[in-house]
Amino acid sequence: MRAYRVGLTAAVVTAGLAAPATPVVAAEQVAAPPVSSSSTAVGHGGAVATVDATATAVGRDVLRRGGNAVDAAVAAAATLGVTEPFSAGIGGGGFFVYYDARSGRVHTIDGRESAPASTRQDTFVDPATGQPYPFGEARISGLSVGVPGTLLTWEAALRAWGTRSLAESLRPAIRVADKGFAVDATFRQQVRDNAAVFAQFAPTAQLFLPDGRAPEVGSTHRNPDLADTYRLISRRGVNAFYEGPIGADIAATVQRPPVTDTPTRPWPHPIRPGGLTTTDLARYELRFPAPTHSDYRGYDVYGMSTPSSGGTAVGEALNIMERFDLSRTPPAEALSVHLDASALAFADRNAYVGDGTHPRVLRELLSDQYAATRGEFEPGSALPKPTAPGNLAGPYGSGHPAVAATGGEEGKSTTNLTVADRWGNVVEYTLTIEQTGGNAMVVPGRGFLLNNELTDFSFVQQAGAPPDPNLPAPGKRPRSSMSPTIVLNDGKPFLAVGSPGGATIITTVLQILFNRIDRNMPLSEAVAAPRASQRNSNTPAAEPAFIADHESELVALGQPAFHSIAELGAATAIEFQDQRRLVAVAEPTRRGGGSAAVLRPAPDGPYGRLDDQTPAPPT
Ligand code: GLU
C-alpha cells in the first residue's frame, strides 16, 4: 500500500488500490480532438499552454467538458508522453505546482526520480580508471535510471485536487497512441539526434527508427505498446507500475539493457547495467514540500523547493534584483543587473543546494538580508565572473572559492505546461526524462523511454572544494533546475510560467519574470524575447538575436561576451488579468513552436465577464 499526505492538510490519499471509476472507451469510438497551433491565446473560461498542439487540444477539451486545471494538466501530460516521448513520460519525473483557488494556497508535488538503494557515491566513477564516466557513457546505461515519479504524481494530483480518475485522464492519450499523430519536424529531428543510441536497443529502434531511419515529417506515428501500458494502468491503477508487471519490466531493462546484437551504427562506449530493482519501485514515495516563496516588488513568487534548485535560485536572483529600481535604470544597466543577480544565485545554488540541503540554508538563501549582502554592486559595473558563493550564517558555508558553471547543462529536453480553469485553479508542471531521449532504452513491450535523471548528480567531489551537496547516495534525488513558478498578486494568480532547458530553465524563467515585471513587456513578448543564460560563467550563453541586440552595450558595462546558442528553453505561461481575462502563451518558434488555447476566445470588443457564481467542481 502506498499512502501519502498532501501539503500540510490531513488529506491522506492512497494510490493504486482502487479500480478505475470509469471504463476505458474503445479508441475507435472517439474522434481525435481538433488541433490548434497558435502560440498566444486570449480569452476566458480556462486556458492551456504546452509545447504541442495535440496535448493543448486534449487539455482544452478536458476543461470544456467540465474538468478542472488538474484534470486537464494530467490529461495533457499523459498525451505529451505520446507526442513528446523524448522529453517526458511515465519513465521519468517532474515537479507539479498547484494554486488552489478555494484555499488560496500553493501546493507542490515532488515527483523527482530517486536513486536506487544500490547507489554509491562513486556510482559514476569507472572502477577501471578511477575517473568519472564520460557523460555519454553514464547516460546510455542502466546506472543513470532513477525510480520514476511521474505516474504517481498524476495519481496524487488527481486524488488531491482533480475531479477525474486516472483512467479517465489517460483516455485521450490512449486514443492518440492508438490512432497516431502526424510526425513534425521537431519529432523527426529529435530522433535523428538520437539515431546512433536508439539503434543500440531493439525496442527503441523498433519504435522510433522504422526501417532504420527517423520517421518522415507528416508520417503517422503510433505507439500501441504505450496505449496498452496506459490501458493496463487504467484497469489496475498505479500499482501495475510500482508493484506490478510494468515495474518488473523496468527493473529488467535497467539490469539487462535490451541491447541489439546487430546495431546498425557503432556506439563507442560499453552499455552498463544498473541496479534499480522492483523493491526500489515499490518503495518510491512522492514528497510534498512547501513551495519556496519570495516577495518581488509586491508579487508573491512561489516555486519548487529541493531537490530542485529552481525555486531558491529564481527567488534569490529576484531578491537581489529587487534592490535596484530596474524600471528606472537605463535598459542596458538593468539587463546587466539581471545577469549579475543570476550569476550570484548560481554561485550559491552550485555551492549549497541539493537534495537534503538544510531548511535553514534554503531560508537564508531566500532572505532579503542575504540578498543585501549579495547585491552590493553597481548597475553600471558588471561583476567579474565567475563570482564566489556568499557566506552563510553558522556552520553552513563561508569562504568558498569562485567556481564557474560546468558545461553540458543547456539541454533542450524536458517539457512544461501551464493550465488554468474557470474556477481560478492553476497548474504549472515541468516533467522530464532528462536528456532528449532519456537513457535511450524503451522498456520492451511497454512503449516508453527510461530516464537518465541520475546524471544530474555531480559524478565526483572536486578535490579541494567544499562538500558537494549533489553527490549520489541511495534514495537521494539529483538536483534539478526545473522551475515551475506561480506568481500571486494580493493572493490571486498573476502569472504562471515554466520551461525546459536543463540549468538554463532557471535563467529562462527569471528572464521572463524580468521581462514582464521590470521591462513591462506583454507576456507574449516576454516569452518570445531573445534569451541569455548567465550561470556564473565568463562565457555565458545567449541566442543570436540577444547577442545582436545587447552584447556590445553589455560588454561596455564589463559583462563577458556571449557564446551563441540557437535557442534557450521552450516556455509556457499564463497571465491572469482583470475580469478573469487569461493570456495563454507558448513559444512562437523555439522547439518548433508551442500551442496555447483558451476556452472562450476574447472578441475584439470589450471582454465579457464570467459568471461569478460558477460553482467550484466537486473534489
Ligand atoms: N534534468 C534537468 C533538470 O532536472 C532537466 C533537463 C532539461 O530540461 O534539459 O534540471
Side-chain angles (χ1 to χ4, degrees), residues 112 411-414 432 434 453 456 480-482 500-502 505:
R112 182 72 160 169
K412 291 201 278 178
S413 52
T414 308
T432 186
E434 216 298 285
E453 214 69 56
D456 274 356
S480 172
S481 299
M482 292 190 275
I505 293 171

Side-chain angles (χ1 to χ4, degrees), residues 24-324:
V24 177
V25 173
E28 316 74 58
Q29 295 173 12
V30 192
V35 168
S36 108
S37 59
S38 100
S39 62
T40 297
V42 180
H44 295 89
V48 183
T50 82
V51 297
D52 173 65
T54 306
T56 294
V58 162
R60 184 191 54 186
D61 202 49
V62 171
L63 294 177
R64 182 182 286 148
R65 290 163 191 259
N68 70 12
V70 172
D71 302 324
V74 172
T79 304
L80 289 169
V82 182
T83 58
E84 292 278 315
F86 314 116
S87 297
I90 56 175
F95 298 104
F96 192 102
V97 179
Y98 173 65
Y99 169 80
D100 182 63
R102 204 176 270 177
S103 65
R105 291 176 54 189
V106 177
H107 302 269
T108 77
I109 302 178
D110 161 12
R112 182 72 160 169
E113 298 90 333
S114 62
S118 56
T119 304
R120 302 180 317 264
Q121 186 166 320
D122 64 357
T123 281
F124 292 108
V125 175
D126 186 343
T129 64
Q131 297 300 311
Y133 293 122
F135 182 82
E137 185 168 346
R139 174 196 166 200
I140 308 302
S141 77
L143 297 171
S144 65
V145 183
V147 184
T150 288
L151 184 62
L152 206 53
T153 300
W154 297 350
E155 166 80 357
L158 289 169
R159 292 215 178 206
W161 311 301
T163 71
R164 303 188 162 203
S165 68
L166 183 61
E168 282 175 281
S169 303
L170 294 177
R171 197 182 302 157
I174 292 172
R175 200 160 62 222
V176 177
D178 271 331
K179 287 176 107 57
F181 61 92
V183 167
D184 64 11
T186 305
F187 188 100
R188 176 174 162 78
Q189 189 58 44
Q190 290 177 335
V191 177
R192 291 181 67 148
D193 292 345
N194 275 288
V197 286
F198 283 1
Q200 307 305 314
F201 303 103
T204 314
Q206 207 179 341
L207 183 57
F208 296 125
L209 292 168
D211 308 320
R213 286 193 304 277
E216 296 296 335
V217 171
S219 63
T220 299
H221 178 77
R222 294 187 180 82
N223 191 339
D225 285 349
L226 183 56
D228 284 345
T229 300
Y230 279 174
R231 270 191 278 268
L232 181 61
I233 294 164
S234 300
R235 284 196 305 276
R236 294 186 38 190
V238 296
N239 279 1
F241 187 98
Y242 288 97
E243 299 182 37
I246 304 168
D249 287 350
I250 292 172
T253 305
V254 170
Q255 292 169 23
R256 293 181 299 283
V259 179
T260 173
D261 296 334
T262 52
T264 51
R265 297 162 200 240
W267 180 244
H269 304 296
I271 294 171
R272 297 168 195 279
L276 188 151
T277 64
T278 53
T279 307
D280 291 315
L281 281 150
R283 290 195 177 149
Y284 181 83
E285 285 186 352
L286 298 172
R287 300 176 189 166
F288 305 90
T292 60
H293 172 256
S294 46
D295 177 330
Y296 188 59
R297 305 193 197 280
Y299 295 104
D300 290 292
V301 181
Y302 291 95
M304 198 64 223
S305 192
T306 50
S308 184
S309 58
T312 48
V314 169
E316 181 188 338
L318 290 175
N319 287 343
I320 296 169
M321 287 159 58
E322 195 179 25
R323 302 190 55 75
F324 302 86

